[in-house]
Amino acid sequence: MEALNSAEQRELQSRMEKKQMKEFMTMYSKLVQKCFDDCVNDFTTKSLQSREEGCVMRCVDKQLKGSERLGTRFQEQNAAMMQSGQLPGRP
């Protein structure tokens, strides 16, 4: 990023932030859709039944914990590769 002038750096930063927000919103949307599809099946009332609400809470918790664990493992692998001098994606 040092080769970019300040306006180009701001533009790049803005684009990166927009991309991250889009990725977050896509992940959030998929999480909502998955947990809704898996847990909600009674449409006779406008509110969730207690078992549906419990299912949604467990589903969200499981997905978030899985995502957190994946991120942690990715960071661990990345740190190990940096220490060994390997570049990601190269043997």
Side-chain angles (χ1 to χ4, degrees):
M1 272 180 64
E2 292 82 30
L4 303 176
N5 65 39
S6 63
E8 292 170 330
Q9 288 179 1
R10 284 191 304 272
E11 175 66 23
L12 180 60
Q13 183 68 27
S14 174
R15 287 182 184 206
M16 288 171 54
E17 288 170 1
K18 287 178 184 175
K19 182 175 173 41
Q20 286 176 334
M21 180 57 76
K22 183 178 178 182
E23 289 173 354
F24 171 78
M25 293 306 292
T26 299
M27 183 186 78
Y28 177 78
S29 178
K30 287 179 180 180
L31 171 67
V32 168
Q33 189 66 51
K34 179 184 181 354
C35 292
F36 181 87
D37 290 345
D38 289 353
C39 297
V40 180
N41 50 30
D42 182 6
F43 299 98
T44 59
T45 63
K46 64 181 181 178
S47 59
L48 293 175
Q49 294 183 2
S50 62
R51 66 177 170 73
E52 291 173 325
E53 188 172 348
C55 178
V56 168
M57 296 301 286
R58 287 187 302 277
C59 177
V60 169
D61 187 53
K62 182 178 180 177
Q63 296 298 316
L64 291 178
K65 284 180 180 175
S67 179
E68 182 181 355
R69 179 67 179 137
L70 183 62
T72 301
R73 289 293 295 144
F74 178 77
Q75 288 176 339
E76 291 169 357
Q77 290 290 325
N78 195 29
M81 287 192 307
M82 294 296 270
Q83 277 187 336
S84 69
Q86 291 180 325
L87 295 174
R90 296 205 177 137

